[in-house]
Amino acid sequence: MPFIPGKHNPNVTPPWVKELAMCSGSRVVTLLAVSVGSRQSNLWSTMTGLRGVTATLCLIFLMLNAASVPAPAAEVTAALSGTIRDSSGAIVSGVTITLTNTQTNISKTVQSGADGSYSFTLVPVGNYKLTVEHSGFRKYVQEGIVLQVNQQAKQDVTLQVGSTREVIDVTENVTQVDTVTATLGTVETQKRIVDLPLVERDTFQLGLLQAGVFATDPDDGSGNPFSVSGQRSESLTFLLDGVDNNDFLGNNVVVNPNPDAVEEFKILTNNYGAEYGRTSGGIINQVLRSGTNAFHGNVFEFFRNDVLNARNYFQLTRTRFDRNIVGGTFGGPIVKNKTFFFMSYQATRRIEGQVAPVLEVLSPAERGCASPAPGCVGTVADFSEVGTQLVDPTTGNPYPGNQVPINPIIATYISKYLPLPNLNDGSNNFAANPIGRIQDDQGIIRLDHHLSERDTIYGNYIVDDLRDEFPFRIVNGASSGGNVPVGSAFSDKIRNQQGAATWVHTFTPHVVNEFIFGANRAASLSAQPADTTSPAALGFSNVNPDDPAGAAPPIMFSNTFQLGPSPQGPTTLHDVTFHWQDNLSWAKGHHDLKFGADIRRVRNNFHYDFFNNGSYDFANFSNPFTGNGFADFVAGFPDNYFQFSRAVYGI
């Protein structure tokens, strides 16, 4: 008996339609960012304190800001500023101020201006010592200064009259209250990142401890870790060492460094500066660790297993659970006080039982089996135990004794893919917990080089390879393809990469430029079916895969069990983002001016096979044709057929 063609299902919206709506048409993104900051609160005094071209630039910058020009340029550095006074409160100009990184011994030196102010911009995060010297005053040394990502620190210094051979030593951090900017955000330090327990070793979990950050809804399909300030989770911007770290198609993070490789990260939740933009749902800024003058490293292993786990009530055996995460870090000097390296590796191995719901399947009699045996199937299904009379929908006549002829194609499916009941409780129920495997390897390297007193360069490269195999696909607790462990298996292969290089050049102690080039790439082959039996090999004469390379069994949806692979693939994605950015910082007295440009070129190419081999529904969209949903299945009477053509896009 041939299959009755169903109608196209208008209620199914493939995910790529939503994704395409979010990213259509964006090839090149060119953005300008300008900002004006003042360490005084009065705008009028800020404007009148500038002269000539400075005033003109300030007006231009303010007009651009008022026009709300997006500005995703983002710092992963800090700034330190303040004012030098004597014990009477009078300002002191011409003072030599030196800021030294205590881990690398690299220093910067500026002199206080006529108004006694000083400023260090584009300072890498880390531990610092501040030294202040001037003839006729005691030398001032402050240690214990910790500068964090995006921090605008302020430290005023009062000099005491005396000889420069006399030293005033102070050990304390700078003021932690931000009195310079209105940006809201919290920094997670390396100590908290490493010391606090993290499931899956995901540093983003710490973001949920911050105000204004919320866990995503269970039905949220974005894959992002949280949402910020009431915005959608897709509205986040991820940055790594100041470089774009977003997969443009779904707006997900490309690479997430393991916790031991992260120096710190900050989530900006509100009132971003002009150098930020792109999205309104929060800026997540991660900074990688770097090498120092001392060699340092560690080796770690985290593991979990099923020894103390209880058996699921509906499962025959205890679900297997083995999870091992091993790795280490190592960093230090290549040339002391000049060149440093840091590297990290993490390997994840997971073997976990997949818990599927208990399914009602065909009884041996309904399969037409004379005796139950794996793969058994007959020519006539016995539905005599059904309390209602079944009818042949092609003639309207009743099936004598509810004996229903089995469609030959369905017979192949039953024999090849549908298991027998296995709970031995008198029911026709089937339960299983087959094994899923995940293997993930991540490598990270960062190099820092101090070229001269005016030039510093640093860069990083991260690669993350993930491979997995699953017996069926479970999405939000339900399978999108088959939900039995035979013929439903699939695999994914994903390689994500990110690399960047940054050059910081000091024109003068008050004018510093930062140039960044970076790129990220997300490549994947997902939902590759393990069973590649073509529809024709199963006996279908009217099902032709639109993409022959993705040939697999058509999916069968009954009102309990489902047979066939995931309908989401095989799908190939190659998403690449190139990122150029330049920022110029100019400290003029009590005023900080910053302007720059940000250019991103996004390239998205994907081949999406969605229901490439078709799917049949039985008693899901209408009342059973025969009077019983299982009888509809064995006789080959679907109430819906759905197939989608291959989607090929290049953006």
Side-chain angles (χ1 to χ4, degrees):
M1 182 180 296
F3 273 76
I4 300 174
K7 59 184 178 181
H8 183 87
N9 185 354
N11 299 316
V12 178
T13 302
W16 66 267
V17 174
K18 300 176 183 177
E19 295 170 344
L20 185 60
M22 292 191 296
C23 68
S24 59
S26 297
R27 284 186 180 273
V28 180
V29 182
T30 305
L31 302 169
L32 298 177
V34 292
S35 66
V36 176
S38 174
R39 293 186 290 275
Q40 296 178 357
S41 60
N42 188 291
L43 179 61
W44 175 253
S45 64
T46 300
M47 294 300 297
T48 57
L50 302 175
R51 294 292 185 269
V53 66
T54 307
T56 303
L57 287 173
C58 186
L59 286 172
I60 294 173
F61 295 164
L62 288 175
M63 286 188 291
L64 286 173
N65 285 335
S68 299
V69 177
E75 288 184 2
V76 290
T77 55
L80 176 64
S81 61
T83 302
I84 310 298
R85 293 183 171 86
D86 62 18
S87 56
S88 68
I91 61 173
V92 184
S93 61
V95 177
T96 300
I97 304 106
T98 303
L99 186 64
T100 304
N101 187 307
T102 57
Q103 296 171 309
T104 64
N105 207 34
I106 294 175
S107 61
K108 291 185 177 184
T109 301
V110 299
Q111 288 191 328
S112 61
D115 57 359
S117 66
Y118 74 93
S119 178
F120 293 96
T121 59
L122 298 176
V123 181
V125 298
N127 302 322
Y128 286 89
K129 176 178 70 174
L130 183 69
T131 305
V132 182
E133 299 177 276
H134 192 59
S135 177
F137 294 92
R138 296 176 181 176
K139 183 178 180 180
Y140 176 92
V141 178
Q142 179 174 342
E143 298 187 79
I145 296 175
V146 180
L147 297 181
Q148 299 176 330
V149 59
N150 301 120
Q151 184 178 9
Q152 300 291 321
K154 186 175 177 62
Q155 183 62 52
D156 296 330
V157 176
T158 300
L159 297 178
Q160 303 293 327
V161 175
S163 169
T164 54
R165 291 192 297 270
E166 299 177 84
V167 179
I168 299 176
D169 281 316
V170 177
T171 302
E172 67 175 359
N173 201 356
V174 294
T175 303
Q176 295 302 297
V177 178
D178 188 352
T179 61
V180 179
T181 70
T183 302
L184 301 180
T186 304
V187 174
E188 294 296 344
T189 63
Q190 211 269 332
K191 180 175 176 56
R192 283 171 56 88
I193 291 172
V194 172
D195 290 351
L196 291 177
L198 297 173
V199 178
E200 311 288 355
R201 283 178 53 79
D202 180 4
T203 58
F204 289 138
Q205 290 179 347
L206 293 176
L208 295 173
L209 301 178
Q210 300 189 17
V213 179
F214 304 94
T216 58
D217 187 272
D219 294 327
D220 186 321
S222 71
N224 283 336
F226 43 71
S227 60
V228 174
S229 300
Q231 301 288 318
R232 296 174 59 182
S233 62
E234 294 95 335
S235 298
L236 298 173
T237 290
F238 298 94
L239 301 169
L240 180 61
D241 278 353
V243 177
D244 189 292
N245 191 25
N246 301 274
D247 178 2
F248 188 80
L249 188 61
N251 206 51
N252 309 114
V253 64
V254 176
V255 291
N256 185 11
N258 72 79
D260 286 76
V262 178
E263 180 67 28
E264 59 189 39
F265 77 93
K266 185 173 185 178
I267 300 178
L268 304 181
T269 58
N270 213 334
N271 294 336
Y272 318 135
E275 65 267 35
Y276 295 99
R278 184 179 181 272
T279 58
S280 59
I283 310 294
I284 296 92
N285 214 346
Q286 291 178 298
V287 180
L288 292 175
R289 294 177 63 186
S290 59
T292 65
N293 273 331
F295 288 102
H296 57 86
N298 72 325
V299 177
F300 56 81
E301 178 179 12
F302 299 86
F303 74 92
R304 298 169 60 191
N305 57 34
D306 56 15
V307 172
L308 298 179
N309 291 357
R311 178 179 65 87
N312 185 294
Y313 179 81
F314 295 103
Q315 300 299 319
L316 299 177
T317 60
R318 184 167 56 190
T319 302
R320 184 173 177 180
F321 188 97
D322 292 304
R323 183 177 298 179
N324 293 82
I325 303 176
V326 299
T329 67
F330 186 62
I334 298 176
V335 179
K336 279 199 171 184
N337 302 330
K338 194 174 185 69
T339 308
F340 311 91
F341 76 95
F342 176 83
M343 61 181 63
S344 173
Y345 171 73
Q346 176 176 284
T348 302
R349 301 293 183 267
R350 295 168 56 180
I351 303 176
E352 301 175 11
Q354 307 297 296
V355 179
V358 175
L359 305 172
E360 182 183 1
V361 296
L362 298 176
S363 68
E366 292 168 343
R367 299 165 64 106
C369 296
S371 60
C376 72
V377 66
T379 57
V380 177
D382 182 2
F383 284 90
S384 58
E385 294 184 0
V386 176
T388 58
Q389 176 63 55
L390 304 184
V391 298
D392 183 345
T394 61
T395 64
N397 298 324
Y399 287 115
N402 281 350
Q403 304 297 300
V404 180
I406 299 177
N407 181 282
I409 296 177
I410 291 298
T412 303
Y413 261 82
I414 293 174
S415 175
K416 189 175 177 67
Y417 301 119
L418 187 62
L420 287 160
N422 65 350
L423 290 188
N424 299 321
D425 58 358
S427 70
N428 293 328
N429 291 337
F430 170 84
N433 52 0
I435 299 300
R437 300 175 185 272
I438 299 176
Q439 179 176 325
D440 186 29
D441 295 277
Q442 183 186 87
I444 300 173
I445 186 169
R446 170 167 168 153
L447 297 174
D448 295 74
H449 181 56
H450 189 58
L451 287 169
S452 66
E453 292 300 320
R454 291 179 176 268
D455 296 281
T456 299
I457 59 173
Y458 61 88
N460 69 69
Y461 173 71
I462 302 178
V463 59
D464 196 313
D465 281 335
L466 185 146
R467 298 160 298 283
D468 60 38
E469 298 174 358
F470 288 103
F472 35 64
R473 180 179 290 278
I474 301 295
V475 179
N476 294 333
S479 174
S480 61
N483 55 10
V484 296
V486 182
S488 303
F490 70 96
S491 62
D492 300 310
K493 295 180 181 179
I494 301 172
R495 166 168 282 194
N496 291 341
Q497 302 171 82
Q498 197 258 18
T502 301
W503 171 30
V504 179
H505 176 71
T506 303
F507 290 100
T508 72
H510 302 291
V511 181
V512 182
N513 189 78
E514 177 189 53
F515 175 75
I516 297 174
F517 171 73
N520 67 64
R521 182 175 187 264
S524 65
L525 174 60
S526 59
Q528 177 74 28
D531 188 326
T532 57
T533 305
S534 68
L538 292 170
F540 292 94
S541 60
N542 57 348
V543 177
N544 299 302
D546 188 71
D547 179 10
I555 304 171
M556 302 291 172
F557 292 101
S558 79
N559 50 14
T560 59
F561 58 82
Q562 298 167 196
L563 308 177
S566 168
Q568 308 291 334
T571 294
T572 302
L573 299 175
H574 289 147
D575 303 339
V576 183
T577 299
F578 299 97
H579 188 190
W580 296 267
Q581 182 185 120
D582 193 83
N583 302 310
L584 184 69
S585 298
W586 180 16
K588 182 66 174 176
H590 281 285
H591 312 290
D592 289 333
L593 296 91
K594 181 192 295 182
F595 54 93
D598 187 289
I599 302 174
R600 306 188 193 198
R601 186 176 190 273
V602 178
R603 188 175 67 204
N604 295 125
N605 297 302
F606 62 94
H607 292 192
Y608 191 89
D609 286 343
F610 186 63
F611 283 93
N612 180 63
N613 300 282
S615 69
Y616 292 89
D617 284 272
F618 298 89
N620 286 325
F621 288 85
S622 67
N623 292 325
F625 295 123
T626 62
N628 180 274
F630 282 176
D632 280 10
F633 171 69
V634 299
F637 295 119
D639 61 1
N640 184 72
Y641 175 76
F642 177 75
Q643 185 175 8
F644 202 88
S645 60
R646 181 177 59 154
V648 181
Y649 289 91
I651 301 176

Short mmCIF file of all heavy atoms in Angstrom, two decimals, residues 618-643:
data_model
loop_
_atom_site.label_atom_id
_atom_site.label_comp_id
_atom_site.label_asym_id
_atom_site.label_seq_id
_atom_site.Cartn_x
_atom_site.Cartn_y
_atom_site.Cartn_z
N PHE A 618 1.91 10.76 12.07
CA PHE A 618 0.80 9.81 12.15
C PHE A 618 -0.06 10.17 13.36
O PHE A 618 0.41 10.12 14.51
CB PHE A 618 1.32 8.37 12.28
CG PHE A 618 2.14 7.93 11.09
CD1 PHE A 618 3.51 8.15 11.05
CD2 PHE A 618 1.52 7.33 10.00
CE1 PHE A 618 4.26 7.75 9.96
CE2 PHE A 618 2.27 6.93 8.90
CZ PHE A 618 3.64 7.15 8.88
N ALA A 619 -1.32 10.56 13.08
CA ALA A 619 -2.29 10.90 14.13
C ALA A 619 -1.81 12.04 15.01
O ALA A 619 -2.12 12.10 16.20
CB ALA A 619 -2.63 9.67 14.98
N ASN A 620 -1.04 12.96 14.43
CA ASN A 620 -0.59 14.13 15.18
C ASN A 620 -1.34 15.40 14.78
O ASN A 620 -1.43 16.34 15.56
CB ASN A 620 0.91 14.34 14.97
CG ASN A 620 1.75 13.35 15.74
OD1 ASN A 620 1.39 12.94 16.84
ND2 ASN A 620 2.87 12.93 15.15
N PHE A 621 -1.86 15.44 13.54
CA PHE A 621 -2.54 16.63 13.05
C PHE A 621 -4.03 16.41 12.80
O PHE A 621 -4.74 17.33 12.45
CB PHE A 621 -1.87 17.12 11.76
CG PHE A 621 -0.52 17.75 11.98
CD1 PHE A 621 0.62 16.96 12.03
CD2 PHE A 621 -0.39 19.11 12.15
CE1 PHE A 621 1.86 17.53 12.24
CE2 PHE A 621 0.84 19.68 12.37
CZ PHE A 621 1.99 18.89 12.41
N SER A 622 -4.47 15.18 12.96
CA SER A 622 -5.90 14.87 12.77
C SER A 622 -6.23 13.61 13.56
O SER A 622 -5.33 12.94 14.08
CB SER A 622 -6.22 14.67 11.28
OG SER A 622 -5.58 13.50 10.79
N ASN A 623 -7.48 13.30 13.65
CA ASN A 623 -7.88 12.05 14.28
C ASN A 623 -7.37 10.88 13.44
O ASN A 623 -7.22 10.99 12.21
CB ASN A 623 -9.40 11.97 14.40
CG ASN A 623 -9.95 12.99 15.39
OD1 ASN A 623 -9.30 13.30 16.40
ND2 ASN A 623 -11.13 13.51 15.10
N PRO A 624 -7.06 9.75 14.09
CA PRO A 624 -6.54 8.60 13.33
C PRO A 624 -7.47 8.20 12.20
O PRO A 624 -8.70 8.13 12.37
CB PRO A 624 -6.42 7.50 14.39
CG PRO A 624 -6.32 8.24 15.70
CD PRO A 624 -7.15 9.48 15.53
N PHE A 625 -6.90 7.94 11.03
CA PHE A 625 -7.71 7.52 9.88
C PHE A 625 -8.34 6.15 10.11
O PHE A 625 -9.47 5.90 9.72
CB PHE A 625 -6.85 7.49 8.61
CG PHE A 625 -6.33 8.85 8.21
CD1 PHE A 625 -4.98 9.07 8.05
CD2 PHE A 625 -7.20 9.91 7.97
CE1 PHE A 625 -4.50 10.31 7.67
CE2 PHE A 625 -6.73 11.15 7.59
CZ PHE A 625 -5.37 11.36 7.44
N THR A 626 -7.57 5.25 10.75
CA THR A 626 -8.08 3.89 10.96
C THR A 626 -8.88 3.79 12.26
O THR A 626 -9.61 2.81 12.45
CB THR A 626 -6.91 2.90 11.04
OG1 THR A 626 -6.08 3.25 12.16
CG2 THR A 626 -6.07 2.93 9.78
N GLY A 627 -8.73 4.76 13.13
CA GLY A 627 -9.33 4.69 14.45
C GLY A 627 -8.31 4.48 15.54
O GLY A 627 -8.63 4.53 16.73
N ASN A 628 -7.01 4.29 15.16
CA ASN A 628 -5.94 4.07 16.12
C ASN A 628 -4.65 4.62 15.52
O ASN A 628 -4.32 4.32 14.37
CB ASN A 628 -5.80 2.58 16.45
CG ASN A 628 -4.70 2.31 17.46
OD1 ASN A 628 -3.54 2.14 17.10
ND2 ASN A 628 -5.06 2.24 18.74
N GLY A 629 -3.90 5.39 16.32
CA GLY A 629 -2.68 6.00 15.81
C GLY A 629 -1.63 5.00 15.42
O GLY A 629 -0.95 5.16 14.38
N PHE A 630 -1.42 3.96 16.21
CA PHE A 630 -0.44 2.94 15.87
C PHE A 630 -0.85 2.19 14.61
O PHE A 630 -0.01 1.80 13.79
CB PHE A 630 -0.26 1.96 17.03
CG PHE A 630 0.61 2.49 18.14
CD1 PHE A 630 0.80 1.76 19.30
CD2 PHE A 630 1.25 3.71 18.04
CE1 PHE A 630 1.60 2.23 20.33
CE2 PHE A 630 2.05 4.20 19.05
CZ PHE A 630 2.22 3.46 20.21
N ALA A 631 -2.15 1.96 14.43
CA ALA A 631 -2.62 1.28 13.22
C ALA A 631 -2.38 2.16 11.99
O ALA A 631 -2.03 1.64 10.91
CB ALA A 631 -4.11 0.95 13.36
N ASP A 632 -2.55 3.48 12.15
CA ASP A 632 -2.21 4.39 11.05
C ASP A 632 -0.75 4.23 10.66
O ASP A 632 -0.39 4.23 9.47
CB ASP A 632 -2.46 5.84 11.47
CG ASP A 632 -3.92 6.25 11.37
OD1 ASP A 632 -4.76 5.36 11.15
OD2 ASP A 632 -4.21 7.46 11.50
N PHE A 633 0.11 4.08 11.67
CA PHE A 633 1.55 3.96 11.41
C PHE A 633 1.87 2.67 10.66
O PHE A 633 2.54 2.71 9.61
CB PHE A 633 2.32 4.03 12.73
CG PHE A 633 3.78 3.71 12.61
CD1 PHE A 633 4.65 4.57 11.95
CD2 PHE A 633 4.28 2.52 13.14
CE1 PHE A 633 6.00 4.25 11.83
CE2 PHE A 633 5.63 2.20 13.02
CZ PHE A 633 6.49 3.08 12.37
N VAL A 634 1.43 1.53 11.16
CA VAL A 634 1.81 0.28 10.53
C VAL A 634 1.19 0.14 9.13
O VAL A 634 1.77 -0.48 8.24
CB VAL A 634 1.43 -0.94 11.41
CG1 VAL A 634 2.13 -0.87 12.75
CG2 VAL A 634 -0.07 -1.05 11.59
N ALA A 635 0.02 0.76 8.93
CA ALA A 635 -0.63 0.66 7.61
C ALA A 635 -0.10 1.70 6.63
O ALA A 635 -0.34 1.60 5.43
CB ALA A 635 -2.14 0.81 7.77
N GLY A 636 0.63 2.72 7.14
CA GLY A 636 1.22 3.72 6.24
C GLY A 636 0.28 4.81 5.84
O GLY A 636 0.26 5.21 4.66
N PHE A 637 -0.50 5.36 6.81
CA PHE A 637 -1.42 6.46 6.51
C PHE A 637 -1.02 7.70 7.32
O PHE A 637 -1.52 7.93 8.42
CB PHE A 637 -2.87 6.07 6.86
CG PHE A 637 -3.41 4.96 6.02
CD1 PHE A 637 -3.82 3.77 6.61
CD2 PHE A 637 -3.51 5.10 4.65
CE1 PHE A 637 -4.33 2.73 5.84
CE2 PHE A 637 -4.02 4.07 3.87
CZ PHE A 637 -4.42 2.88 4.46
N PRO A 638 -0.11 8.52 6.78
CA PRO A 638 0.29 9.73 7.51
C PRO A 638 -0.75 10.83 7.36
O PRO A 638 -1.50 10.87 6.38
CB PRO A 638 1.60 10.12 6.83
CG PRO A 638 1.43 9.65 5.42
CD PRO A 638 0.62 8.38 5.52
N ASP A 639 -0.82 11.70 8.34
CA ASP A 639 -1.73 12.85 8.22
C ASP A 639 -0.97 14.13 7.90
O ASP A 639 -1.58 15.20 7.75
CB ASP A 639 -2.55 13.03 9.51
CG ASP A 639 -1.70 13.30 10.74
OD1 ASP A 639 -0.46 13.38 10.62
OD2 ASP A 639 -2.28 13.43 11.84
N ASN A 640 0.36 14.04 7.76
CA ASN A 640 1.14 15.23 7.41
C ASN A 640 2.49 14.79 6.87
O ASN A 640 3.10 13.82 7.35
CB ASN A 640 1.35 16.11 8.65
CG ASN A 640 2.07 17.41 8.30
OD1 ASN A 640 1.51 18.29 7.67
ND2 ASN A 640 3.33 17.52 8.71
N TYR A 641 2.93 15.48 5.82
CA TYR A 641 4.28 15.27 5.28
C TYR A 641 4.96 16.62 5.18
O TYR A 641 4.36 17.60 4.76
CB TYR A 641 4.23 14.61 3.90
CG TYR A 641 5.60 14.50 3.26
CD1 TYR A 641 6.49 13.53 3.69
CD2 TYR A 641 6.01 15.38 2.27
CE1 TYR A 641 7.76 13.43 3.13
CE2 TYR A 641 7.26 15.28 1.71
CZ TYR A 641 8.15 14.31 2.14
OH TYR A 641 9.39 14.23 1.59
N PHE A 642 6.23 16.64 5.60
CA PHE A 642 6.96 17.91 5.58
C PHE A 642 8.36 17.67 5.06
O PHE A 642 9.04 16.73 5.49
CB PHE A 642 7.01 18.50 7.00
CG PHE A 642 7.80 19.78 7.09
CD1 PHE A 642 7.28 20.97 6.61
CD2 PHE A 642 9.07 19.80 7.66
CE1 PHE A 642 8.00 22.15 6.69
CE2 PHE A 642 9.79 20.97 7.74
CZ PHE A 642 9.26 22.15 7.27
N GLN A 643 8.81 18.54 4.14
CA GLN A 643 10.18 18.48 3.65
C GLN A 643 10.62 19.89 3.30
O GLN A 643 9.83 20.70 2.81
CB GLN A 643 10.30 17.56 2.43
CG GLN A 643 11.74 17.37 1.95
CD GLN A 643 11.85 16.37 0.81
OE1 GLN A 643 10.84 15.92 0.27
NE2 GLN A 643 13.07 15.99 0.46
#
